[in-house]
Amino acid sequence: MKAREEILSRIRLAQVAAPDHAVRRDYSHTRELPDVLGHFVERVEDYKATVIRTSPDGVAAAIATCLGGASKVVVPPGFNTSWVPGGLDVVRDEPALGSDELDAVQAVLTSAVVGIAVTGTIVLDHTEGQGRRALTLVPDLHVCVVTADQVVADVPEAVARLTASVNNGRPLTWISGGSATSDIELQRVEGVHGPRTLCVVLVEPTTP
Amino acid sequence: MKVGLFVTCLNDTMFPQTGQATVRLLRRLGVEVDFPKAQTCCGQMHVNSGYVPEAIPAVRAFVDAFAGYDAVVTPSGSCAASVRHQHPVVAERSGDTTLVRGVDSLAPRVYELSEFLVDVLGVVDVGAYFPHKVTMHPTCHSTRLLGVGDRPEKLLRAVRGITMIDLPEAEECCGFGGTFSMKNPDVSVAMGADKARHVRESGAEVLVAGDNSCLMHIQGLLTRQRAGVRVMHLAEILAAQEVAA
Amino acid sequence: MIVTRTFLGTPPFPVAAKAALADSQLRSNMRNATHTIRAKRARVIGELDDFEQLRQGAADIKDHTMSNLGDYLLQVEESLTRAGATVHWARDADEANKIVVDIARSHKVDEVVKVKSMATQEIELNVALEAAGIAAWETDLAEMIVQLGDDLPSHILVPAIHRNRSEVREIFLREMGKVGMPPEADLTDEPAELAGAARRHLREKFMRAKVAISGANFLIADTGTLCVVESEGNGRMCLTLPEVLITVVGIEKVLPTFSDLEVFLQLLPRSATGERMNPYTSTWNGVTPGDGPQEVHVVLLDNGRTKVLADEVGRQALRCIRCSSCMNVCPVYERTGGHAYGSVYPGPIGSILTPMLRGVGIDEATDAMPFASSLCGACYEVCPVKINIPEVLVHLRGKVVDSHRGGVPGALQAAMTGASWTLGRGSRLALLQKFAGVAGQVFGRRGVIGRMPAPLSRWTDARDLPVPPRESFRAWWSRTDGGRRDNGSQPTTPHKGRGKR
């Protein structure tokens, strides 16, 4: 406790002359985009991820396309079963898979909670249908289903939507493309740790 | 309007032709400047080296010399910046409230040359003639601290006969940095060498800038290389006219 | 066993810089790297139509937080504890290291995996862990390259930027096998292959490590949320696979609420790597049952930050979000690289933060840092939290000089005092000019002074010096009544200019 008291005391002494600043929030809180979904698709594809746009009854087929030849697939609890294509060796995470078991899995299917158009980002809060964090980390292929109503234009709107999850203690994972590094001579190399392939299925309501 | 000329200690001692050109140029534009002899130096050398109390005499001399003027014009971006940004700090260090008040009242009336010409006199074409290929180094103090923007360039482009050539990587610092040039001479020269290289690459005959401190450093490298490029202060080009027949 | 090098013993900047300037590979790497990142940053920042407003908001949020830091830290402690984390407070590096080592020891581990963390580098945590017989595996690719290469980081974001791909290959072939899975024998220097070797080598460490250590980019006060912004995924590996997670975070990383991230998650990726968004950002609130580490520790680190807070002018440095854009635009850093600064924080931000964290007037190398700048201001122009670095540099120069007053004045102090006297009165300056004019005629040749002895040699070794003219401006003014009486004795005609030898 000594350290705590001393640090707080140092802070008190240091602030003798510190004025308090009003925070100016004149930055944009919302953004107008003519085609939010189109923008989202473009930006996600910019990161060399694949995006398949489909209607609600085409999701299973789209996921099958994403999976390609992968058959050993982890499906998290709460994932919409009607979206799971047939013919897969489905692995459940109940009881929780060990790291080695996860490593042997070829792909993971999840839903998401928010998509961000300007940055091409998908965000998971690891609730229903998204699984615990390790599930989207260890397998090499991540297929993520995003519904159109989950996609917002820019970061401030996304943060606003995610606040409830955070207040409920949920962890968040923001994913913008696959992992990458530019550490060697600044040349961007895709796929270091984490899934080297990301495939996004964007579900749009059928046009009347 | 009573206008005082702050020629700067560097120009006073080393580059009087810049001060003379400034006087001639302004006279041609109908402005007779005073040169109050009490002036010495803006004090930036002291402040930038960390010797703030030692800058107090210079700041005092500046306020004493120029307090009575409506405007003060100076052919140096770094000195104008020093007056505006550093004099209040020095005055506060002195604890002399009269000096603080004097500085606060005077600083807004001090103009770098291109600011004075464009903003106060409202001129861009100063009636100059200079038929040569010229490239300009924008100087960090003028662009980043004073925010003179494109004033110097506009003034130069209006000069009759001039050919302006863009300087590659113009916004890069030349490496002078005051006492930096002596405390870190190797880095200073490395930076200046690149600046000199860009000047030569431009193919210009003349390098111009609004600060003789930068010019002295770049020139020193160019002449050591026997580059055959000459340097001139902005005031000198703007003062140039056709030689009378 | 890996032994970590430290910056101790780096000579003062002017000396270290001279050697660095002569390193042609470093010069070439640095030039390429900094110019590339500058262009990328400029492009994505240019896309923001509210960049200036975002930076102002960011600066204000940080300033407000610093002004109420005590309250926010208490809130942090409360929310973290509620979320199931154990909060520790560390006054200095030794205290922080002891806390971390004790936790690791209590779990009887002989290795930990680490996510890149400037704070843990600052306190030299790896040295403390190694002394306790615990291997600290860096998992960030560049940090791993530095660690395997028995090297020092030279940049806060791309620490191995001074290394070529062929050097990286050599390091991997030579060292990887000693500490884990070796690379393929036919490893080439293609960056993709090198990254692949790193992936395989580290994967087994991620899978088996019981304890992970991380830093944090942001710490949210009202929810106790920690946030890590990364590219490679090694962060996610360390934050979710091990059983125990220890996060060391500087007390200045606090933000009031989660919604404040709407500003920083726009500014940080764009300023740091020139991307609209970095690949992975993770946030977590203490312990999430059934997901990730079930034992979570957070070490709140002071280590001089309260000293910075106490400096009215310098406290703006606490706004820093470690984006490195100041380094990337700095013309000095570009030419010397990071090692010459002798600190984990190099470049512009390092030159103000390190002297304030360490204190001035204590050692020569630290005192030299605020002078390692030409004050060009390029850093201030790009800083996403508007730290006026040149202002703080000049302020710290004053503190360095003040810390040495009172003894026998050195040569520079004497010169400055002399100049102060001379420049106190116009008449004294006029007198000096007479001498300068004469001296110039003695030393100059055709208008130029060549080589001079020390200390003027610092200038003249590489540069010519113009000859002081016989007649100063004020003498001319007197003689010719401001040029009104200037018949006959013309000054140098403007067309001639200067610089003709």
Side-chain angles (χ1 to χ4, degrees):
Chain A
M1 279 302 110
K2 255 187 75 186
R4 179 182 184 273
E5 295 323 314
E6 196 179 318
I7 291 174
L8 291 169
S9 153
R10 288 175 186 171
I11 293 172
R12 261 194 307 274
L13 287 167
Q15 281 167 338
V16 169
D20 197 348
H21 288 76
V23 177
R24 283 159 281 195
R25 294 185 192 266
D26 303 323
Y27 48 87
S28 310
H29 288 80
T30 55
R31 195 161 295 282
E32 286 307 308
L33 284 179
D35 175 12
V36 174
L37 293 181
H39 211 97
F40 174 71
V41 172
E42 202 186 291
R43 291 284 157 92
V44 174
E45 287 177 340
D46 239 1
Y47 295 129
K48 304 211 179 84
T50 311
V51 183
I52 302 179
R53 299 175 82 154
T54 181
S55 60
D57 32 271
V59 178
I63 291 179
T65 310
C66 279
L67 287 173
S71 58
K72 194 158 183 204
V73 178
V74 145
V75 178
F79 188 79
N80 188 331
T81 42
S82 71
W83 287 349
V84 184
L88 296 179
D89 174 10
V90 172
V91 180
R92 303 274 170 206
D93 193 38
E94 296 151 311
L97 298 162
S99 295
D100 290 334
E101 295 170 282
L102 256 185
D103 211 8
V105 161
Q106 291 169 307
V108 57
L109 308 183
T110 73
S111 53
V113 78
V114 164
I116 311 177
V118 167
T119 59
T121 304
I122 55 180
V123 187
L124 277 62
D125 71 356
H126 303 284
T127 50
E128 292 300 287
Q130 298 164 64
R132 64 191 169 96
R133 290 172 283 171
L135 294 194
T136 36
L137 177 59
V138 178
D140 218 3
L141 165 58
H142 176 194
V143 180
C144 185
V145 181
V146 180
T147 54
D149 61 316
Q150 292 178 324
V151 180
V152 298
D154 208 345
V155 175
E157 293 146 289
V159 169
R161 286 229 188 159
L162 293 163
T163 306
S165 296
V166 172
N167 285 340
N168 286 332
R170 303 306 310 161
L172 300 179
T173 304
W174 297 48
I175 299 168
S176 309
S179 67
T181 178
S182 301
D183 279 338
I184 301 175
E185 291 184 2
L186 280 197
Q187 271 216 16
R188 190 186 168 90
V189 170
E190 266 91 26
V192 193
H193 311 288
R196 283 180 285 197
T197 311
L198 172 66
C199 192
V200 176
V201 175
L202 178 60
V203 187
E204 295 165 81
T206 350
T207 41
Chain B
M1 185 176 54
K2 197 166 169 229
V3 182
L5 170 69
F6 176 50
V7 78
T8 82
C9 67
L10 183 69
N11 291 332
D12 194 354
T13 311
M14 299 289 284
F15 306 109
Q17 67 269 42
T18 297
Q20 290 153 3
T22 307
V23 171
R24 248 198 322 276
L25 167 65
L26 292 173
R27 181 168 290 145
R28 190 168 84 217
L29 296 173
V31 179
E32 279 297 333
V33 293
D34 274 356
F35 175 73
K37 287 198 183 42
Q39 68 182 272
T40 54
C41 166
C42 68
Q44 65 172 296
M45 178 186 70
H46 281 108
V47 175
N48 287 340
S49 307
Y51 292 88
V52 175
E54 285 83 349
I56 295 171
V59 173
R60 237 187 254 290
F62 185 86
V63 174
D64 288 344
F66 290 106
Y69 288 87
D70 301 312
V72 179
V73 59
T74 179
S76 164
S78 63
C79 299
S82 172
V83 171
R84 287 201 206 139
H85 298 283
Q86 292 181 339
H87 280 200
V89 175
V90 177
E92 206 189 297
R93 181 72 175 258
S94 76
D96 177 348
T97 46
T98 318
L99 184 61
V100 172
R101 271 198 308 274
V103 160
D104 284 345
S105 137
L106 181 53
R109 290 179 267 147
V110 176
Y111 301 91
E112 178 269 339
L113 179 63
S114 72
E115 290 179 327
F116 187 76
L117 293 169
V118 175
D119 299 346
V120 180
L121 296 188
V123 298
V124 165
D125 184 342
V126 299
Y129 174 68
F130 192 73
H132 298 279
K133 293 200 290 219
V134 176
T135 191
M136 186 185 82
H137 166 59
T139 86
C140 299
H141 284 94
S142 288
T143 27
R144 297 197 182 101
L145 259 79
L146 295 179
V148 300
D150 61 359
R151 290 176 185 77
E153 206 193 315
K154 277 204 175 106
L155 290 160
L156 285 164
R157 286 194 184 275
V159 171
R160 215 156 45 83
I162 204 170
T163 305
M164 290 300 299
I165 304 176
D166 283 339
L167 180 66
E169 300 192 34
E171 70 290 343
E172 293 287 293
C173 176
C174 73
F176 175 65
T179 50
F180 177 77
S181 61
M182 298 287 275
K183 283 174 161 248
N184 278 287
D186 299 299
V187 183
S188 174
V189 167
M191 291 165 70
D194 282 334
K195 180 64 68 176
R197 173 170 58 85
H198 291 135
V199 170
R200 298 182 75 169
E201 272 169 11
S202 75
E205 199 195 314
V206 179
L207 169 69
V208 68
D211 247 299
N212 276 326
S213 44
C214 303
L215 286 176
M216 184 171 70
H217 166 71
I218 305 169
Q219 175 195 9
L221 289 159
L222 286 169
T223 61
R224 186 60 63 94
Q225 291 170 17
R226 313 292 194 267
V229 177
R230 55 194 163 110
V231 310
M232 292 174 68
H233 188 280
L234 177 68
E236 293 162 42
I237 292 188
L238 296 180
Q241 293 199 292
E242 297 214 51
V243 178
Chain C
M1 177 59 72
I2 293 179
V3 177
T4 305
R5 280 179 59 183
T6 70
F7 283 101
L8 198 66
T10 307
F13 185 80
V15 176
K18 184 166 179 146
L21 286 168
D23 183 340
S24 56
Q25 181 175 293
L26 177 71
R27 291 288 294 268
S28 172
N29 283 7
M30 294 305 300
R31 186 185 159 80
N32 177 47
T34 53
H35 284 238
T36 304
I37 309 180
R38 277 178 216 177
K40 288 182 74 175
R41 177 206 163 270
R43 210 164 37 238
V44 293
I45 292 284
E47 287 179 1
L48 295 173
D49 55 12
D50 58 347
F51 177 58
E52 288 302 324
Q53 292 89 338
L54 281 166
R55 323 162 71 195
Q56 190 60 68
D60 287 349
I61 292 169
K62 295 291 284 195
D63 282 350
H64 163 78
T65 310
M66 292 308 119
S67 296
N68 298 280
L69 188 57
D71 292 337
Y72 281 119
L73 286 176
L74 288 173
Q75 195 184 17
V76 154
E77 181 185 52
E78 203 235 331
S79 53
L80 276 172
T81 310
R82 219 177 335 117
T86 306
V87 177
H88 311 259
W89 299 69
R91 284 168 285 194
D92 57 30
D94 285 340
E95 195 156 47
N97 289 335
K98 182 169 190 310
I99 293 166
V100 177
V101 169
D102 284 350
I103 298 170
R105 273 208 182 111
S106 75
H107 287 276
K108 299 192 171 45
V109 293
D110 60 3
E111 64 173 7
V112 298
V113 286
K114 280 191 72 203
V115 191
K116 177 176 163 48
S117 154
M118 293 312 305
T120 63
Q121 253 166 29
E122 179 193 318
I123 63 177
E124 294 176 3
L125 175 62
N126 291 8
V127 175
L129 285 165
E130 281 154 24
I134 301 169
W137 305 123
E138 293 289 351
T139 64
D140 179 274
L141 178 58
E143 294 292 358
M144 188 181 75
I145 293 170
V146 168
Q147 185 174 54
L148 290 176
D150 187 26
D151 198 357
L152 289 166
S154 65
H155 186 286
I156 65 173
L157 210 69
V158 281
I161 201 62
H162 56 291
R163 291 284 196 193
N164 271 347
R165 61 179 72 182
S166 53
E167 288 179 298
V168 174
R169 172 182 170 273
E170 278 166 43
I171 290 168
F172 281 8
L173 284 172
R174 206 176 53 231
E175 305 292 336
M176 255 187 187
K178 295 181 191 169
V179 295
M181 189 180 295
E184 306 285 330
D186 60 351
L187 181 73
T188 70
D189 65 5
E190 277 302 312
E193 272 200 40
L194 295 168
R199 179 187 170 98
R200 277 188 308 279
H201 175 83
L202 287 170
R203 203 161 176 87
E204 59 170 12
K205 293 193 165 130
F206 289 138
M207 298 293 168
R208 73 167 187 250
K210 213 175 139 193
V211 176
I213 299 172
S214 83
N217 295 89
F218 306 106
L219 168 51
I220 308 295
D222 66 349
T223 50
T225 305
L226 283 157
C227 178
V228 164
V229 173
E230 59 154 337
S231 295
E232 294 163 34
N234 61 305
R236 293 178 65 192
M237 288 288 185
C238 293
L239 298 172
T240 54
L241 295 184
E243 296 164 26
V244 181
L245 175 62
I246 309 167
T247 301
V248 180
V249 56
I251 54 178
E252 87 285 17
K253 294 301 187 72
V254 178
L255 295 177
T257 78
F258 178 72
S259 59
D260 291 324
L261 285 181
E262 68 188 6
V263 176
F264 293 94
L265 288 182
Q266 292 192 68
L267 290 172
L268 181 55
R270 291 179 191 256
S271 300
T273 49
E275 301 172 296
R276 297 186 187 109
M277 188 60 75
N278 52 294
Y280 299 132
T281 295
S282 304
T283 73
W284 71 102
N285 292 22
V287 174
T288 308
D291 181 350
Q294 297 302 296
E295 183 179 323
V296 168
H297 298 264
V298 178
V299 182
L300 300 173
L301 177 71
D302 180 354
N303 201 34
R305 285 149 178 76
T306 46
K307 269 193 277 188
V308 183
L309 187 64
D311 185 325
E312 270 184 61
V313 176
R315 79 162 56 106
Q316 54 187 300
L318 293 177
R319 297 182 199 151
C320 178
I321 59 175
R322 309 289 192 266
C323 72
S324 79
S325 48
C326 60
M327 259 161 254
N328 297 330
V329 298
C330 177
V332 174
Y333 176 86
E334 172 191 339
R335 291 169 173 84
T336 65
H339 292 168
Y341 292 80
S343 156
V344 293
Y345 303 114
I349 187 63
S351 301
I352 61 173
L353 197 52
T354 303
M356 287 195 287
L357 291 173
R358 287 182 189 166
V360 299
I362 301 168
D363 78 87
E364 211 191 325
T366 306
D367 283 356
M369 290 185 84
F371 293 90
S373 165
S374 64
L375 302 176
C376 81
C379 50
Y380 183 23
E381 245 180 3
V382 299
C383 177
V385 287
K386 292 183 87 163
I387 303 172
N388 189 337
I389 298 177
E391 177 187 57
V392 184
L393 284 167
V394 172
H395 168 75
L396 290 176
R397 291 177 184 189
K399 285 186 97 163
V400 169
V401 167
D402 286 345
S403 75
H404 293 289
R405 288 185 195 274
V408 176
L412 186 55
Q413 169 73 67
M416 287 295 175
T417 308
S420 172
W421 180 83
T422 306
L423 297 170
R425 199 161 289 177
S427 52
R428 293 181 198 148
L429 178 58
L431 188 61
L432 174 79
Q433 286 164 344
K434 289 208 174 71
F435 288 120
V438 170
Q441 305 315 304
V442 172
F443 291 106
R445 197 168 66 84
R446 292 165 82 202
V448 156
I449 294 175
R451 315 276 170 164
M452 292 291 285
L456 271 182
S457 57
R458 290 190 187 195
W459 183 279
T460 60
D461 272 351
R463 295 164 279 208
D464 286 342
L465 199 57
V467 172
R470 241 183 292 238
E471 186 178 61
S472 68
F473 175 84
R474 66 178 62 223
W476 169 84
W477 182 279
S478 273
R479 181 175 60 79
T480 66
D481 184 26
R484 282 169 276 252
R485 247 187 358 240
D486 203 5
N487 316 312
S489 53
Q490 290 286 344
T492 321
T493 62
H495 293 260
K496 282 238 179 74
R498 294 124 52 184
K500 292 279 214 208
R501 252 186 181 252

